[in-house]
Amino acid sequence: DGDETLVFVGGGPTLGRSALRLDVRTGRLDVLRSPIARLPDHRYLSAPVPFTYRTGDGREAHGLFYRPANPEYSGPPESRPPLLVDVHGGPTGMAPSYVDLEVQFFTSRGFAMACVNYGGSSGYGRAYRERLVHEWGIVDVEDCIYAAKALAEKDEVDFSRMAIRGGSAGGFT
């Protein structure tokens, strides 16, 4: 009987990126360290919805969609929320699905957010990651544009109210 404990960094839709310990025998998961001392009330947390969409060349690209979440406010009945497209740094990084308080800040104030895992992002296999080779500044930009269009075409967001933001490699987008 060896030690059947795993220690790793992880998170999820109700847990920020944390140091975790898992007892494999019992399934018990303990948070060893978390940068988020206390999460906001769950009614203000927007859960990520993975989405896949087609790009201009017909390939699939991926992202996480967050709807606005605030029990004290909703937009006019016939309107759609503004969209903030968030572009991760990288260029081969990825937008994770763990609780990110910056995302929650915007969604609790009426914005929808699309965290785009453009071609070149990690987590979707080697071919997907290699889409960015000799195409940085092209594939990532186009994938962000098509993500916003796909969400507007599904009536999730207002096509006339969109903005983009990012840091590091995503800041160039």
Side-chain angles (χ1 to χ4, degrees), residues 12-164:
T14 58
L15 179 66
R17 184 174 185 208
S18 303
L20 305 167
R21 178 177 50 225
L22 174 68
D23 184 320
V24 178
R25 292 170 303 195
T26 65
R28 178 181 166 138
L29 182 66
D30 296 310
V31 177
L32 301 175
R33 186 154 174 84
S34 177
I36 303 172
R38 192 175 64 112
L39 285 174
D41 182 303
H42 73 278
R43 297 173 302 153
Y44 293 89
L45 293 178
S46 179
V49 177
F51 73 104
T52 300
Y53 57 95
R54 294 274 173 207
T55 63
D57 60 8
R59 293 189 288 190
E60 286 187 343
H62 309 281
L64 299 170
F65 179 61
Y66 294 83
R67 291 180 176 89
N70 186 326
E72 299 173 31
Y73 175 80
S74 62
E78 298 302 316
S79 71
R80 298 289 174 254
L83 176 66
L84 184 55
V85 176
D86 188 69
V87 190
H88 65 72
T92 59
M94 68 180 294
S97 61
Y98 54 75
V99 173
D100 179 334
L101 292 181
E102 270 189 61
V103 169
Q104 302 304 323
F105 172 84
F106 288 106
T107 59
S108 70
R109 282 149 180 86
F111 286 87
M113 286 197 67
C115 297
V116 179
N117 281 316
Y118 54 81
S121 300
S122 296
Y124 300 95
R126 174 180 248 163
Y128 194 80
R129 195 180 68 248
E130 289 178 348
R131 283 188 195 175
L132 212 55
V133 174
H134 304 296
E135 298 291 322
W136 187 36
I138 299 169
V139 169
D140 44 345
V141 171
E142 287 180 355
D143 285 3
C144 289
I145 291 167
Y146 282 97
K149 284 182 178 181
L151 291 168
E153 288 169 0
K154 290 181 181 179
D155 247 2
E156 292 281 0
V157 298
D158 184 339
F159 191 78
S160 66
R161 297 185 297 153
M162 296 181 175
I164 190 168

